[in-house]
């Protein structure tokens, strides 16, 4: 190894390979621990939700139901078709429900209209009636759940026939709350089904962490010399015969000069450098299983 390679290798300590390896191992470990803690928190929240009765669960989660969930739930029912103008009004009442009583007769506000299939809201209430009745039977006190009891009383008044008292007419807000209660009730039933098979979890079975350092140096040197020569001849002729020389055929004087040029060119090329590659790889294998609620 030449002196340059030795000098470069001597600076190996300046390369942050140890720090790189340490951060990779620590980062992987922290990620696994964080994932495990998250699973335990989700597991704990799941168990706590099942310790509540249905009424408590609905009251604690009912406000979390948003307009998108409400509209998606309503679309599952076969409702009367309405034009774009009415649809805009309906969507506005669903998104921002008011405390205005449902079903008022525009020509006679004091006389509520029955919930018939001919009107969109009437078709919706009639469609919700079976689910509302079932939920009322499941909870201890329907009056504790916002909107549910009001919609149930209205349905009973419609079934009884005759004039419907004003205190039995739900507001748009109560209808909205009743739908939210039905959605959260369905979620509660889903949680109970999941509880029977246990909670899914991710379990790491094996893992591998690899770091690699590739260190290379080079130093190339080349030199040489190029030589050459060339000759150049120069001829010079001088006329020395004069007038009589030309008559008596005298000789001219000729001089020849030869020049020789020798050339030499030398060169030397040097190149050197170093390259360091740090490589890291993490391989984690895991499986999924179900943890029973009894541990």
């Amino acid at each position: 190894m030449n002196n340059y390679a030795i000098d470069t290798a001597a600076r190996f300590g300046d390369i942050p390979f140890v720090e790189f390896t340490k951060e990779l191992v620590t980062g992987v470990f922290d990620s696994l621990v964080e994932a495990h803690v998250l699973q335990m928190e989700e597991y704990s929240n799941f168990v706590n939700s099942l310790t509540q009765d249905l009424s408590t669960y609905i009251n604690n989660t009912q406000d979390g139901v948003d307009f998108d969930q409400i509209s998606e739930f309503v679309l599952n029912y076969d409702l009367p078709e309405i034009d774009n103008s009415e649809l805009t009004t309906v969507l506005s009442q669903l998104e921002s429900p008011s405390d205005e009583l449902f079903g008022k007769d525009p020509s006679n506000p004091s006389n509520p209209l029955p919930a018939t299939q001919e009107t969109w809201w009437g078709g919706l209430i009639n469609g919700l009636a079976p689910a509302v009745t079932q939920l009322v039977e499941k909870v201890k006190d329907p009056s504790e759940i916002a909107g549910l009891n009001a919609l149930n009383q209205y349905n009973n008044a419609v079934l009884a026939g005759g004039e419907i008292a004003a205190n039995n007419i739900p507001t748009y807000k109560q209808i909205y709350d009743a739908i939210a209660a039905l959605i959260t009730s369905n979620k509660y039933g889903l949680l109970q089904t999941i509880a029977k098979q246990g909670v899914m979890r991710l379990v790491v079975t094996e893992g591998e962490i690899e770091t690699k350092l590739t260190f290379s140096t080079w130093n190339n040197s080349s030199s040489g010399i190029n030589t050459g020569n060339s000759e150049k001849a120069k001829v010079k002729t001088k006329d020395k015969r004069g007038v009589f020389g030309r008559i008596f055929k005298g000789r001219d004087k000729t001089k020849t000069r030869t020049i020789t040029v020798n050339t030499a060119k030398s060169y030397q090329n040097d190149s050197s450098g170093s390259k360091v590659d740090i490589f890291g790889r993490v391989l984690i294998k895991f499986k999924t299983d179900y943890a029973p609620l009894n541990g």
Side-chain angles (χ1 to χ4, degrees), residues 178-197:
I179 297 174
L182 293 175
I183 294 175
T184 54
S185 173
N186 291 342
K187 291 181 180 179
Y188 187 82
L190 180 61
L191 290 177
Q192 289 181 319
T193 301
I194 294 175
K196 294 178 181 179
Q197 63 182 11

Side-chain angles (χ1 to χ4, degrees), residues 79-121:
L79 302 175
E81 295 184 1
I82 53 179
D83 57 31
N84 291 335
S85 176
E86 291 178 304
L87 179 60
T88 301
T89 302
V90 166
L91 291 178
S92 176
Q93 291 169 331
L94 271 178
E95 187 170 10
S96 301
S98 66
D99 291 327
E100 180 183 352
L101 295 179
F102 153 77
K104 284 188 176 181
D105 184 352
S107 61
N108 186 10
S110 62
N111 181 27
L113 298 174
T116 62
Q117 294 286 353
E118 286 74 18
T119 64
W120 190 91
W121 283 102

Side-chain angles (χ1 to χ4, degrees), residues 32 68 79 88 107 128 164 187 190 192 218 251 260 279:
L32 293 177
D68 290 337
L79 302 175
T88 301
S107 61
L128 295 174
I164 301 176
K187 291 181 180 179
L190 180 61
Q192 289 181 319
W218 65 90
R251 294 187 300 172
T260 302
F279 169 81

Side-chain angles (χ1 to χ4, degrees), residues 83 125 197 267 290-292:
D83 57 31
I125 292 178
Q197 63 182 11
Y267 65 89
Y290 288 91

Side-chain angles (χ1 to χ4, degrees), residues 39-288:
Q39 287 187 103
M40 295 302 296
E41 290 177 350
E42 294 292 336
Y43 178 85
S44 177
N45 293 336
F46 178 77
V47 172
N48 289 336
S49 65
L50 292 179
T51 59
Q52 307 171 16
D53 58 40
L54 180 56
S55 297
T56 303
Y57 179 82
I58 292 176
N59 287 328
N60 289 341
T61 59
Q62 189 176 19
D63 292 339
V65 178
D66 56 24
F67 169 70
D68 290 337
Q69 293 173 298
I70 293 288
S71 57
E72 183 180 356
F73 184 84
V74 167
L75 291 177
N76 292 324
Y77 291 89
D78 185 16
L79 302 175
E81 295 184 1
I82 53 179
D83 57 31
N84 291 335
S85 176
E86 291 178 304
L87 179 60
T88 301
T89 302
V90 166
L91 291 178
S92 176
Q93 291 169 331
L94 271 178
E95 187 170 10
S96 301
S98 66
D99 291 327
E100 180 183 352
L101 295 179
F102 153 77
K104 284 188 176 181
D105 184 352
S107 61
N108 186 10
S110 62
N111 181 27
L113 298 174
T116 62
Q117 294 286 353
E118 286 74 18
T119 64
W120 190 91
W121 283 102
L124 175 61
I125 292 178
N126 285 335
L128 295 174
V132 169
T133 301
Q134 292 178 2
L135 182 55
V136 168
E137 294 174 352
K138 292 179 181 179
V139 298
K140 296 179 179 180
D141 187 358
S143 62
E144 294 180 354
I145 300 176
L148 182 64
N149 197 48
L151 201 59
N152 183 57
Q153 290 178 350
Y154 181 80
N155 289 332
N156 292 335
V158 172
L159 292 175
E163 184 177 352
I164 301 176
N167 59 349
N168 286 332
I169 302 175
T171 65
Y172 291 108
K173 181 64 170 62
Q174 289 173 326
I175 297 174
Y176 181 97
D177 290 339
I179 297 174
L182 293 175
I183 294 175
T184 54
S185 173
N186 291 342
K187 291 181 180 179
Y188 187 82
L190 180 61
L191 290 177
Q192 289 181 319
T193 301
I194 294 175
K196 294 178 181 179
Q197 63 182 11
V199 180
M200 189 183 73
R201 62 180 178 180
L202 297 179
V203 180
V204 176
T205 58
E206 60 180 289
E208 180 180 330
I209 300 176
E210 176 186 1
T211 59
K212 181 171 60 177
L213 177 67
T214 303
F215 183 81
S216 59
T217 64
W218 65 90
N219 186 12
N220 299 322
S221 178
S222 62
S223 62
I225 183 170
N226 295 327
T227 62
N229 60 75
S230 63
E231 292 185 355
K232 184 177 181 181
K234 185 177 182 181
V235 180
K236 183 177 182 181
T237 303
K238 185 176 183 181
D239 185 2
K240 291 187 176 182
R241 293 176 294 174
V243 176
F244 296 101
R246 295 189 185 96
I247 295 174
F248 297 103
K249 299 181 179 180
R251 294 187 300 172
D252 295 333
K253 186 176 181 180
T254 302
K255 291 183 179 182
T256 302
R257 180 180 297 176
T258 302
I259 301 175
T260 302
V261 178
N262 296 321
T263 60
K265 182 180 179 181
S266 61
Y267 65 89
Q268 181 171 345
N269 296 325
D270 295 312
S271 64
S272 60
S274 62
K275 181 181 179 182
V276 177
D277 293 323
I278 300 178
F279 169 81
R281 184 176 74 95
V282 177
L283 175 65
I284 297 177
K285 295 182 179 180
F286 61 88
K287 66 178 183 178
T288 59

